[in-house]
Amino acid sequence: MQHEAVAVDPEDGTAYLTEDNGPHSGFYRFQPNDRSGRIGSLEAGGTLEMLKVKGAECADLRAPDQGAQYAVEWVPIEDPDKDPETLSEIASGIPLLRGSGRSGPYLQGEALGAARFARGEGCVAHAGTIYMVDTAGGAARKGVVWAYEPTSERLTALFVSPGEEAANHPDNITVSNRGGILVCEDGGSFTNAAGDFVGARLLAISGQGEATIFAENNTRLDRPPRGRASIRPGDYRGGEFTGACFAPDGRTMFVNIQTPGITVAITGPFERIGL
């Protein structure tokens, strides 16, 4: 299974996992036998399950309408270590280790009617809701932000990108103390309809499914940063934002620009754009 992100629900210790294996990706949950959250508690094992839409066999959720809601349930994955669809050798004489096609867990879930996503990416738990990103979802294949509510077993397509100008492959996701949703783009730079160059962005997603530009990557280096001779000068505006998270007090947000490898701290007030 091509694991991507995991979010642990602090209410009951359930871990939710995304799978980045387009175009056959599932959304999973792991219910641990030991829910204490202590170091090593997951070694006690548990149950892996895959999300299924109630009353629909193998529902294709790769291109939902914004606001679409689904009643869901979970089907068991009896053998989490089952081999994927295809195994091949990395080099002559080396055992079959390289997997491709549908993963072993996905194949089992599919046999029980579980739902299909395009490419699962970021996942975060906040205030009783699990937010999950399908970076290649939607009719435009530019990304979907899903909201799953465990208490009601309801899945909602909170935001569906109509095109790269709205959102260009959201990836990592975080939520502020006030419940504001922020996503990191992984689509690189592009030129918009007006002919303007647009670097990779951080986007705020409202509860009404509207995307607002919070920050844009305009990193261009004409010389290596002090003490970092290995970082070459160049145009890094297409470098994706990653790992956005808020400090416990909510006043500072930290985020990385993957290439060339920069971490920045951004201070509020974030509430001006709903964060």
Side-chain angles (χ1 to χ4, degrees), residues 94-240:
I94 296 178
L96 303 179
L97 296 174
R98 177 182 289 138
S100 60
R102 292 169 292 182
S103 70
Y106 184 93
L107 286 168
Q108 294 171 77
E110 183 181 48
L112 296 174
R116 174 186 184 185
F117 297 88
R119 285 184 51 218
E121 287 280 4
C123 190
V124 66
H126 179 81
T129 299
I130 312 300
Y131 298 96
M132 183 269 285
V133 176
D134 185 345
T135 191
R141 303 181 66 182
K142 292 298 181 180
V144 176
V145 176
W146 292 94
Y148 164 66
E149 299 166 89
T151 55
S152 62
E153 291 290 1
R154 180 174 61 187
L155 181 70
T156 303
L158 180 64
F159 169 76
V160 179
S161 176
E164 63 185 4
E165 291 198 29
N168 190 18
H169 296 296
D171 188 328
N172 290 177
I173 184 170
T174 191
V175 183
S176 72
N177 293 357
R178 287 176 289 273
I181 302 168
L182 190 85
V183 296
C184 303
E185 284 189 327
D186 184 19
S189 57
F190 64 93
T191 301
N192 64 19
D196 300 320
F197 181 93
V198 180
R201 301 167 298 180
L202 287 171
L203 301 172
I205 307 296
S206 73
Q208 292 72 46
E210 298 176 347
T212 302
I213 300 172
F214 174 74
E216 182 180 337
N217 178 7
N218 284 309
T219 305
R220 284 179 285 187
L221 302 177
D222 56 10
R223 61 182 181 277
R226 183 185 305 172
R228 297 290 186 270
S230 61
I231 297 179
R232 298 179 179 178
D235 186 343
Y236 294 102
R237 291 176 292 174
E240 66 174 293

Side-chain angles (χ1 to χ4, degrees), residues 70-103:
Y70 305 88
V72 300
E73 56 189 349
W74 300 83
V75 297
I77 305 301
E78 300 291 349
D79 183 6
D81 291 326
K82 182 179 176 65
D83 286 343
E85 196 167 16
T86 303
L87 282 172
S88 59
E89 59 183 19
I90 298 174
S92 178
I94 296 178
L96 303 179
L97 296 174
R98 177 182 289 138
S100 60
R102 292 169 292 182
S103 70

